[in-house]
Amino acid sequence: MTIDCGADGAFAAAVLNELLARDVFARKPAVTPLDRCIRISCGCEEDMTVLADVLPRVVQDVRARGLQKNI
């Protein structure tokens, strides 16, 4: 699944790094305009529950740090 982070590549990179720091594996395309997205594979129900819990908090944390360019 590809998720548009709603900002530029730097914002998506920050989201990706925060997900990885919280043991949620994702990837990010390197080519513009796709670099504003992250890629996440579908997992079991438990994995998807973790993602649903962690992703909104990660996006909020990254925005709070002022990395919300182009939102």
Side-chain angles (χ1 to χ4, degrees):
M1 168 188 317
T2 301
I3 300 171
D4 188 331
C5 290
D8 61 12
F11 183 83
V15 169
L16 174 67
N17 290 333
E18 285 294 321
L19 287 171
L20 295 174
R22 298 174 192 200
D23 295 326
V24 175
F25 182 72
R27 302 195 76 144
K28 186 177 98 49
V31 179
T32 304
L34 296 176
D35 66 339
R36 61 184 276 144
C37 301
I38 57 172
R39 290 186 344 221
I40 301 170
S41 296
C42 293
C44 65
E45 187 173 339
E46 180 181 338
D47 294 338
M48 300 310 290
T49 299
V50 169
L51 177 63
D53 180 50
V54 171
L55 183 59
R57 289 188 287 137
V58 163
V59 171
Q60 182 178 9
D61 291 350
V62 173
R63 283 185 179 152
R65 290 199 317 258
L67 296 174
Q68 71 269 14
K69 297 176 186 173
N70 300 327
I71 291 181

